[in-house]
Amino acid sequence: MLVDIGSMNWWAVLAATVVAYAIGAVWYASHVFGNRWRAALGKSREQLGDPVALMVAQFFLTLVIAVALALVVVRFGAVTWIEGAAIGLVLSAGLVATSLFSDWMFCGFDMKLYWIQTGCKLVNVTAMGAILGAWR
């Protein structure tokens, strides 16, 4: 086995999930990037509908990201917040930002939308990595 799941700190995984979720909540707040995000998306608040079910689903998706990132952090032997943050940044820039850029190229959505969404993912995964590296 590449990584023993029992070697992960599940409290750190949960904390990383909650912190990333909170960052997303602030990031997409109307006065931060929420209004610009909706404008770039070309949708009104009414068109997006009630976000509760989507927000619950997003929490669990963020938990999956935290578990996957924790496995990588443990496998690489990161034991400090800076090592964990570096792993998070490299993975989010190398996998997430490039995947979203590919979506931008083929879907033709507004480049502002790309930067808002990518920025949030970069900050989230870097913060999650920092928590997972520090709290081993």
Side-chain angles (χ1 to χ4, degrees), residues 10-36:
W10 289 96
W11 289 110
V13 169
L14 183 60
T17 301
V18 170
V19 167
Y21 192 80
I23 290 169
V26 171
W27 193 275
Y28 288 104
S30 294
H31 61 280
V32 182
F33 290 110
N35 289 337
R36 285 176 262 188

Side-chain angles (χ1 to χ4, degrees), residues 2-105:
L2 291 174
V3 175
D4 175 18
I5 292 205
S7 66
M8 291 186 337
N9 180 339
W10 289 96
W11 289 110
V13 169
L14 183 60
T17 301
V18 170
V19 167
Y21 192 80
I23 290 169
V26 171
W27 193 275
Y28 288 104
S30 294
H31 61 280
V32 182
F33 290 110
N35 289 337
R36 285 176 262 188
W37 174 75
R38 277 191 302 281
L41 195 58
K43 301 217 179 225
S44 68
R45 191 180 300 263
E46 294 74 30
Q47 289 173 308
L48 291 173
D50 184 14
V52 173
L54 296 174
M55 292 172 75
V56 170
Q58 182 59 48
F59 182 84
F60 287 104
L61 293 171
T62 304
L63 178 62
V64 170
I65 293 168
V67 169
L69 184 57
L71 291 171
V72 174
V73 165
V74 167
R75 182 68 178 143
F76 274 86
V79 293
T80 66
W81 74 268
I82 195 74
E83 291 171 341
I87 291 169
L89 180 61
V90 167
L91 290 177
S92 60
L95 299 174
V96 178
T98 55
S99 296
L100 288 173
F101 194 78
S102 176
D103 291 347
W104 171 80
M105 289 188 314

